[in-house]
Amino acid sequence: MDFNWTLFFQFLVIGLATGSLVALVALGYTLVYGIIELINFAHGEVFMMGAFFAATVITLTGVTGDDSAGLIVAIMLLALAGAMIFSALLNRGIDWVAYKRLRNAPRLAPLIAAIGVSFILQNLGIYWKGSNPFTAPSLIPFDWRTYNVLQEWPILRDWFEGSTLRITLMDLFVIAVTLPLLVGLSWFVYRTRLGTAMRATAQDREAAALMGIDINRTIGIAFWLGGSLAGAAGLVALLYNNSARFNMGFQYGLYAFTAAVLGGIGNLAGAVVGGVLIGVIWAMSDGFLGLYIEGWGSQWTNTVIFSILVLVLVFRPSGIFGSPTTEKV
Amino acid sequence: MAAQVTSVPGQPTTGARVEPILETRSVSRRFGGLVAVDQVSIVIPRGSISSVIGPNGAGKTTLFNMIAGIYRPSAGEIRFDGDVLSRASDMGRARYRRPDQIMEAGIARTFQNIRLFANMTALENVQVGMHSRMKAGAVGAMLRTAAVRREEADSRIRAIELLDYVGLGRHAESTAKNMSYGDQRRLEIARALASEPRLLLLDEPTAGMNPQETAGMTRFFDQMRQDLNLTVLLIEHDMKVVMGISDHVSVLDHGQKIAEGTPDEVRANEQVIEAYLGKDAEQTAAALASRQQQVDDGATEVTNS
């Protein structure tokens, strides 16, 4: 059988969109790990709660796909802001309730606390929206989902004439939300006073404290940032997948964790690259490999992703971008 | 017992006693059964260069860490500029401050084993030092208010000035881990100065330097004190380093203060000599004197060149 380039690119597009979501969630893992060396296993649930909150906000406004395009976009922005603020508050609250007291405890203690918080949030999710997947509020008009920019936009139309490859408005929407957030985050971390304080705290907490940095406040900022990115990812996942479920944070969360480890945990650029890679592998395994391998399908995706996790941990624990971490004296 | 201080340089001999900038009152620190610092009282006169010396393991760094707020004193009280910095419950109501609050109060330090932010540039390291003197919060930073932009621009200019001052102007954009050992030491000092301290704690600042470099560095401390209106407190285990520049020396051994006074008084103190080199007192005194001569010679050479 010939190699099907069209489908390959189709799944690549899906993978890039999904991968940007994974990257947003992975950044939350890596930000928190970078600063307090805690793997915040509740992070996937913060993402899920962001999606749930966004769904509730959209439903409450009562705006549907039948309303004007301007109103729909306004409600999307409102839901985005709402989900980001809600998830940031939630993440910071989790830190305050569950981790802050354990700062000087053995590392296992906050890790187990994180797993506990994760279970609590999943059960809250069941209580909130039930245990079955629910369809996202019908905010996005059907023709936006089917609108294929490769066939509709002037120049692209000529280039892709006769091709069945599709890039829809929804794919663009994911990128349109993700890219500014990534740029904004790196600007914050590398160009502002608080970002510099965060990097200093990540490198040497004690020295940073002695340089006048309030450590607890700085750790709090990492939780604010990670939470707001997870909230944004929650809204985008809700609208992109058109559904949500209480355990969506489990899958996304573990994939994002794998992405963070793959890129080099604690490394921001690594989380983004790892996220996109995992997204592409995810999409290929779900859809593309089945064309060539008898019986391959999405049931194998977990196996593939976690095999990658194991291989990275065994052969290159510092990840793609990892440099040896600064030794502590 | 300890040699009594008759006069302290930097303090007027007549009239009212000037409030010392730093004072520890019977400060102790226990780690389990080990008493690392035992009832140490020292007084650091304002505007002086003072030193705490002692053999390795004498409790110097523990004392420093208590002043800087990393350890809480098990007993006693530390006062800075007339205020209680930290106080254990035996001296009244216990009171402790976090390291960042102590930095904000005006005490900055360097480390025995250099602890720069290795993956940041020299400029960024200095800007971290300015953190407590800047105000911009998260909201202001996102909105890019005029005040925030001005503050950031000012901080950059001041950081470059400080790097120039310690002789690292050309290295502003170098990553700290790629700088030479001596430059890293200077960068640590620039970072400490960035917080506009009134008291600068230097933990073995000349460790690993040869006599010429040491002489140059100690003259730089004296320069700094004058230019920046600073009080400097040095920790050293190497006695000869501090003798030339200190106004006032305290000696620790096994956690206790065994002597204090001017360098000459301390040098002549038998307990000090014993603590350092055992009981061959005469030999030791001679050795110390000749080493001191070497350091002085080093200083002269540098000055002449």
Side-chain angles (χ1 to χ4, degrees), chain A residues 193 199 203-204 210 214 329, chain B residues 103 115 117-118 124 131 136:
Chain A
R193 181 181 84 109
R199 283 183 294 139
Q203 285 185 37
D204 186 339
L210 287 164
D214 183 341
V329 188
Chain B
M103 174 105 179
R115 284 174 78 169
F117 303 113
E124 286 177 326
H131 186 89

Side-chain angles (χ1 to χ4, degrees), chain A residues 79-165:
Chain A
L80 178 68
M84 286 178 74
I85 292 169
F86 176 79
S87 291
L89 281 169
L90 181 64
N91 211 25
R92 181 72 178 104
I94 293 169
D95 173 47
W96 193 73
V97 170
Y99 310 147
K100 198 180 165 193
R101 278 152 248 273
L102 301 174
R103 289 273 196 268
N104 298 317
R107 273 208 223 157
L108 200 55
L111 194 71
I112 300 297
I115 293 171
V117 172
S118 159
F119 283 130
I120 292 171
L121 290 179
Q122 284 200 24
N123 281 286
L124 284 177
I126 295 178
Y127 184 76
W128 191 355
K129 298 275 186 192
S131 61
N132 291 319
F134 64 92
T135 312
S138 52
L139 179 68
I140 308 290
F142 183 71
D143 48 341
W144 289 20
R145 291 190 184 281
T146 54
Y147 185 97
N148 183 359
V149 298
L150 297 184
Q151 298 301 326
E152 305 279 350
W153 287 5
I155 300 166
L156 295 174
R157 194 165 41 203
D158 300 336
W159 287 353
F160 287 91
E161 203 182 351
S163 166
T164 53
L165 187 63

Side-chain angles (χ1 to χ4, degrees), chain B residues 179-199:
Chain B
M179 295 169 74
S180 75
Y181 180 80
D183 285 351
Q184 290 190 358
R185 285 237 168 260
R186 287 174 180 275
L187 180 54
E188 265 211 326
I189 292 172
R191 183 178 67 172
L193 291 177
S195 68
E196 297 163 26
R198 282 172 290 158
L199 173 64

Side-chain angles (χ1 to χ4, degrees), chain A residues 187-188 190-194 196-197 199-201 203-204 206-215 217 326 329, chain B residues 68 70 98-100 103 109 111 113 115 117-120 124 128-129 131-132 134-138 141 144 191:
Chain A
W187 174 80
F188 181 85
Y190 290 101
R191 286 282 174 273
T192 66
R193 181 181 84 109
L194 291 175
T196 309
R199 283 183 294 139
T201 308
Q203 285 185 37
D204 186 339
E206 198 174 85
L210 287 164
M211 293 306 129
I213 292 169
D214 183 341
I215 298 303
R217 186 158 167 258
T326 45
V329 188
Chain B
I70 296 181
R98 293 194 311 266
D100 58 292
M103 174 105 179
R109 73 171 287 178
F111 297 89
N113 31 17
R115 284 174 78 169
F117 303 113
N119 295 321
M120 292 188 186
E124 286 177 326
V128 170
H131 186 89
S132 64
M134 291 168 65
K135 292 178 193 69
R144 306 298 294 157
R191 183 178 67 172

Side-chain angles (χ1 to χ4, degrees), chain B residues 21-22 42-45 47-54 59-61 63-65 67 107-112 185 189 198-207 209 213-225 230-252 263 276:
Chain B
I21 190 136
L22 185 84
I42 57 172
V43 172
I44 309 300
S48 67
I49 293 186
S50 299
S51 305
V52 175
I53 64 170
K60 306 180 297 287
T61 298
L63 181 66
F64 244 40
N65 282 338
I67 296 170
I107 301 181
R109 73 171 287 178
T110 65
F111 297 89
Q112 185 175 339
R185 285 237 168 260
I189 292 172
R198 282 172 290 158
L199 173 64
L200 181 60
L201 308 177
L202 301 170
D203 194 348
E204 306 213 359
T206 60
M209 291 187 174
E213 288 170 331
T214 301
M217 198 56 139
T218 49
R219 275 184 297 108
F220 179 59
F221 297 151
D222 199 33
Q223 182 76 44
M224 242 166 31
R225 157 173 69 164
L230 269 178
T231 307
V232 179
L233 177 58
L234 287 161
I235 282 194
E236 267 296 342
H237 72 275
D238 194 348
M239 219 167 142
K240 62 181 188 284
V241 171
V242 297
M243 288 308 181
I245 52 160
S246 302
D247 304 314
H248 182 72
V249 180
S250 307
V251 188
L252 295 188
Y276 263 86

Side-chain angles (χ1 to χ4, degrees), chain A residues 14-325:
Chain A
I14 296 171
L16 290 175
T18 319
S20 336
L21 290 181
V22 176
L24 282 183
V25 182
L27 279 169
Y29 278 102
T30 239
L31 276 169
V32 167
Y33 183 87
I35 209 156
I36 55 173
E37 294 182 7
L38 163 71
I39 293 166
N40 180 11
F41 276 118
H43 193 69
E45 276 60 46
V46 173
F47 157 79
M48 175 270 291
M49 291 303 243
F52 279 26
F53 185 79
T56 302
V57 167
I58 294 171
T59 310
L60 280 179
T61 60
V63 175
T64 66
D66 300 332
D67 288 291
S68 72
L71 187 58
I72 292 171
V73 170
I75 295 303
M76 281 162 79
L77 287 176
L78 175 77
L80 178 68
M84 286 178 74
I85 292 169
F86 176 79
S87 291
L89 281 169
L90 181 64
N91 211 25
R92 181 72 178 104
I94 293 169
D95 173 47
W96 193 73
V97 170
Y99 310 147
K100 198 180 165 193
R101 278 152 248 273
L102 301 174
R103 289 273 196 268
N104 298 317
R107 273 208 223 157
L108 200 55
L111 194 71
I112 300 297
I115 293 171
V117 172
S118 159
F119 283 130
I120 292 171
L121 290 179
Q122 284 200 24
N123 281 286
L124 284 177
I126 295 178
Y127 184 76
W128 191 355
K129 298 275 186 192
S131 61
N132 291 319
F134 64 92
T135 312
S138 52
L139 179 68
I140 308 290
F142 183 71
D143 48 341
W144 289 20
R145 291 190 184 281
T146 54
Y147 185 97
N148 183 359
V149 298
L150 297 184
Q151 298 301 326
E152 305 279 350
W153 287 5
I155 300 166
L156 295 174
R157 194 165 41 203
D158 300 336
W159 287 353
F160 287 91
E161 203 182 351
S163 166
T164 53
L165 187 63
R166 304 164 53 81
I167 296 181
T168 68
L169 279 186
M170 293 313 289
D171 297 317
L172 295 185
F173 163 69
V174 176
I175 307 293
V177 173
T178 311
L179 263 189
L181 286 173
L182 296 182
V183 172
L185 178 74
S186 69
W187 174 80
F188 181 85
V189 170
Y190 290 101
R191 286 282 174 273
T192 66
R193 181 181 84 109
L194 291 175
T196 309
M198 264 178 68
R199 283 183 294 139
T201 308
Q203 285 185 37
D204 186 339
R205 202 196 299 185
E206 198 174 85
L210 287 164
M211 293 306 129
I213 292 169
D214 183 341
I215 298 303
N216 269 323
R217 186 158 167 258
T218 308
I219 294 171
I221 292 171
F223 277 93
W224 286 118
L225 285 175
S228 63
L229 295 179
L235 167 88
V236 177
L238 173 80
L239 296 180
Y240 187 72
N241 300 332
N242 205 22
S243 75
R245 194 185 184 185
F246 76 96
N247 62 0
M248 68 193 277
F250 184 72
Q251 187 182 33
Y252 269 91
L254 284 179
Y255 284 16
F257 170 63
T258 306
V261 172
L262 178 62
I265 194 150
N267 183 315
L268 296 183
V272 174
V273 172
V276 171
L277 271 175
I278 291 291
V280 170
I281 293 166
W282 183 355
M284 292 297 169
S285 168
D286 268 10
F288 189 67
L289 287 181
L291 296 176
Y292 299 97
I293 303 169
E294 186 75 20
W296 193 282
S298 59
Q299 71 272 23
W300 285 102
T301 305
N302 277 347
T303 314
V304 173
I305 302 283
F306 295 129
S307 300
I308 292 173
L309 179 60
V310 170
L311 291 176
V312 172
L313 285 174
V314 171
F315 292 107
R316 195 171 163 82
S318 56
I320 300 173
F321 284 71
S323 51
T325 45

